[in-house]
Amino acid sequence: MSIQFDNSYAALPAAFYTRQAPTPVKAPRLVAFNDDLAALMGIARTDLPDAAATFAGNVIPDGAAPLAQLYAGHQFGNWNPQLGDGRAILLGEVLSKDGKRRDLQLKGSGPTPYSRMGDGRAWLGPVLREYVVSEAMHALGIPTTRALAAVETGEPVIRETGALPGAILTRVAASHLRVGTFQIFAARGEIGHLRALTDYAIARHYPEAVGPMGLLRAVRDAQAALVARWMSVGFIHGVMNTDNCAISGETIDYGPCAFMDAYHPNTVFSSIDQFGRYAYSNQPDIVVWNIAQLATALIQQVEDKDAAVEEATEIVHAMPALIRSEWERLFAAKIGLSAPAEGDMELVTDLLERMAANQADFTNTFRNLSGNSARDQFTDPTAFDDWAEGWQARLVGEPDAIARMNATNPSVIPRNHRMEEMIAAAVQGDYALFERLNAVLATPFADHIDDADLKRPPAPDEVVPATFCGT
Ligand code: AMP
Ligand code: MG
């Protein structure tokens, strides 16, 4: 077994984490392994004589320094002074072939000092869901944590619905630093630790950034770009708490996330999001709120507080316009335009309003703009025809419109009802749909003529009304 670890987080002060080994499981069975990602990380399958034991945490690979990270966070707007990895263990970091440093983390690997009331475990459903959706996001070109492996543990986990098969996901991330990692030290007044963390985050993610406000600016830019990308594919994260907001700008923590089928701005899936705080159209506002929390935390270490508050305010206040301009660029491309011009956003907004009024499928409407069946997505197709007249006029002078749309609008996304079907089959030991979804979603901009079943929106009796956290 050889994974070339190079652990920097474990070299930080002990206050940042608790050293904690995974708890071995009874009968680990490898059910997924990501060869492409492994190759990028210099890990060959042949290096792993017992991959199941390794990715179950039964065998600690040489060079690993297992630990649970400490953090806090605002959950649904409410401050929680201490969270931390309650069911995840960082094995260590790998310097990948592309020169990037990546965390290798087991999720569902047993209790830690931060487990609170939880069992430290995960069941198979959320593990496979995160595997498929995070890899699909990567294939869509959206910054995200990735999935290296999944194992079934051979042990049941007990959830509200009864005993379910246990599983562990091996997650790969640029890092697991979150807004909440900064918040905990700021809230405790541990300014030395806050400074050390700030220096560490800058060195690891934004070496060109200068000082706490430089870091704030860099994270703001990354998160602004990220949320615009989510919006552009109809992705709803579902639990945008500050502990699920990554400093790297990657999408992290696929819990109750889902892609929209029929477009409606108020769409919410998460069963725990009673008030729609994390609804589709609220995501740009919430990410600004999260960055404001990061600003509040980072300021604590600055000597000249008045100047820092002024600068941080300016940085945060500029964020909505950054999100908006990225959103405009992406949605202009979605309707085939090389760059947004005067009047284009009215065109986009008009289309979206007509889609909402006509239960038009978000993915299929945009994808089919390059063909001739977008109108079929509308309950009243003439609502589309009326819009398309102005659009066609605008497309004159955009010779690359079709290619641009097909490179921006995926033909296939991980639809919720297929994810549920995939999980139900896997629980019965049938991984065919899991494997097929991974294969098809790896090239989301191809036509996938033979995969019409995966492109089809849910029939009324297939609609999944709510999604659940991975607990
Ligand atoms: P999440 O909503 O998944 O981001 O998790 C929020 C917090 O709850 C984190 O501190 C998790 O580590 C913790 N947590 C979630 N599920 C479990 C579990 N089954 N056992 C222990 N801790 C958990
Ligand atoms: Mg989390």
Side-chain angles (χ1 to χ4, degrees), residues 71 83-84 86-87 115-116 118-121 159 243-244 253 471:
Y71 52 86
L83 293 163
R87 56 169 159 171
S115 296
R116 296 174 293 157
D119 59 3
R121 294 298 184 189
R159 295 292 179 265
D243 53 302
N244 294 336
D253 264 14
T471 49

Side-chain angles (χ1 to χ4, degrees), residues 233-255:
V233 295
F235 178 76
I236 303 168
H237 182 282
V239 59
M240 293 173 69
N241 296 334
T242 57
D243 53 302
N244 294 336
C245 183
I247 296 303
S248 66
E250 288 182 340
T251 312
I252 191 170
D253 264 14
Y254 292 85

Side-chain angles (χ1 to χ4, degrees), residues 238-324:
V239 59
M240 293 173 69
N241 296 334
T242 57
D243 53 302
N244 294 336
C245 183
I247 296 303
S248 66
E250 288 182 340
T251 312
I252 191 170
D253 264 14
Y254 292 85
C257 67
F259 283 76
M260 265 192 302
D261 296 300
Y263 171 73
H264 197 286
N266 300 341
T267 307
V268 180
F269 284 98
S270 171
S271 60
I272 55 170
D273 193 359
Q274 285 173 16
F275 303 108
R277 178 179 169 91
Y278 300 138
Y280 173 76
S281 62
N282 273 1
Q283 297 185 120
D285 290 344
I286 290 294
V287 82
V288 175
W289 194 88
N290 286 347
I291 294 302
Q293 305 316 308
L294 178 63
T296 304
L298 285 170
I299 285 169
Q300 307 308 316
Q301 66 192 291
V302 182
E303 299 289 343
D304 184 348
K305 292 268 184 310
D306 289 347
V309 168
E310 196 175 317
E311 190 178 0
T313 304
E314 173 252 309
I315 292 169
V316 175
H317 281 181
M319 193 174 182
L322 288 174
I323 297 171
R324 180 73 198 174

Side-chain angles (χ1 to χ4, degrees), residues 25-253:
V25 299
K26 203 159 100 194
R29 190 168 76 85
L30 189 70
V31 293
F33 186 74
N34 189 336
D35 286 294
D36 290 347
L37 179 57
L40 184 63
M41 297 179 73
I43 303 168
R45 222 186 250 249
T46 48
D47 289 344
L48 303 167
D50 197 347
T54 303
F55 297 119
N58 285 15
V59 170
I60 306 298
D62 289 343
L67 58 83
Q69 291 178 308
L70 182 66
Y71 52 86
H74 282 93
Q75 301 178 301
F76 291 90
N78 302 309
W79 174 240
N80 193 326
Q82 199 213 287
L83 293 163
D85 290 334
R87 56 169 159 171
I89 286 172
L90 178 68
L91 287 180
E93 298 146 39
V94 176
L95 284 172
S96 301
K97 290 208 170 124
D98 55 5
K100 293 188 180 142
R101 176 179 295 276
R102 289 187 168 85
D103 276 5
L104 205 58
Q105 191 203 59
L106 302 182
K107 191 170 170 186
S109 48
T112 77
Y114 314 128
S115 296
R116 296 174 293 157
M117 305 302 278
D119 59 3
R121 294 298 184 189
W123 79 274
L124 184 60
V127 165
L128 297 184
R129 177 180 257 278
E130 174 156 351
Y131 194 108
V132 173
V133 182
S134 67
E135 285 301 305
M137 290 286 271
H138 172 73
L140 286 165
I142 300 177
T144 178
T145 64
R146 299 193 60 189
L148 181 66
V151 293
E152 285 195 40
T153 61
E155 295 177 1
V157 296
I158 311 302
R159 295 292 179 265
E160 292 81 356
T161 49
L164 297 162
I168 298 172
L169 179 76
T170 303
R171 178 160 76 178
V172 169
S175 84
H176 287 83
L177 299 179
R178 308 136 190 276
V179 169
T181 321
F182 288 83
Q183 287 182 290
I184 195 163
F185 299 112
R188 289 178 174 180
E190 295 174 358
I191 303 306
H193 292 333
L194 184 61
R195 289 212 171 98
L197 185 65
T198 301
D199 292 346
Y200 178 81
I202 290 173
R204 185 160 176 180
H205 294 297
Y206 305 105
E208 68 295 344
V210 179
M213 293 302 111
L215 177 62
L216 179 62
R217 217 177 276 278
V219 179
R220 174 201 65 182
D221 291 352
Q223 284 287 337
L226 180 66
V227 76
R229 301 298 300 269
W230 290 354
M231 301 303 282
S232 77
V233 295
F235 178 76
I236 303 168
H237 182 282
V239 59
M240 293 173 69
N241 296 334
T242 57
D243 53 302
N244 294 336
C245 183
I247 296 303
S248 66
E250 288 182 340
T251 312
I252 191 170
D253 264 14

